Amino acid sequence: MKRLAHLHLIAAGLVAAAPAVAQQATHLRDLDAANRATLSKDELQQLLPGATISRVTNRGNRNIWKNEPGGGFVASSDNRDRGSTMPSTARGQWSISDDGRYCVRIEWRSVEPEDWCRFIVRSGDAYYGTRSDQNPDERVYRLDITK
């Protein structure tokens, strides 16, 4: 029952907070002015357990989940790309790879599972996920990470 109430709260927040357009991607080089730093594996082990992750996908959907200490979570999506007002949920798993990347797998019901690993870069007070923390032309995507 507690989990159901939590999901309803997340769903309500998704509908209220979702922007109308997708986030614009930036590149790693664009973060240099704010002293970007790639988080280490140790820093991720402090930051990610129990953290709430929120993002806007390329399709304009707002996704949100809370990393459970055991490596699981339930993700919610507002499904904006489908013109839907009904959010959906899916089970997921998260981990930190040996090379210090944040890895996520989400078992969405209506699309292929989402499976990725990204370096987490902090720039100013914002966090970004990126495939490479070395290539200045690599795209970065905003992740709101809160505890």
Side-chain angles (χ1 to χ4, degrees), residues 72-87:
F73 61 80
V74 175
S76 295
S77 176
D78 63 8
N79 298 321
R80 290 272 176 178
D81 68 326
R82 297 185 213 152
S84 176
T85 58
M86 292 298 297

Side-chain angles (χ1 to χ4, degrees), residues 7-83:
L7 289 177
H8 285 285
L9 183 62
I10 288 173
L14 285 171
V15 172
V21 296
Q23 163 195 341
Q24 294 295 317
T26 60
H27 294 86
L28 193 60
R29 69 177 168 274
D30 299 330
L31 305 179
D32 288 341
N35 297 322
R36 76 172 161 95
T38 301
L39 274 62
S40 69
K41 183 177 179 180
D42 289 340
E43 289 171 315
L44 293 177
Q45 288 170 333
Q46 295 297 312
L47 176 67
L48 294 175
T52 299
I53 312 297
S54 176
R55 67 173 182 172
V56 176
T57 69
N58 287 337
R59 293 182 174 192
N61 297 324
R62 179 162 297 279
N63 299 154
I64 188 170
W65 62 87
K66 184 174 182 176
N67 289 338
E68 296 171 3
F73 61 80
V74 175
S76 295
S77 176
D78 63 8
N79 298 321
R80 290 272 176 178
D81 68 326
R82 297 185 213 152

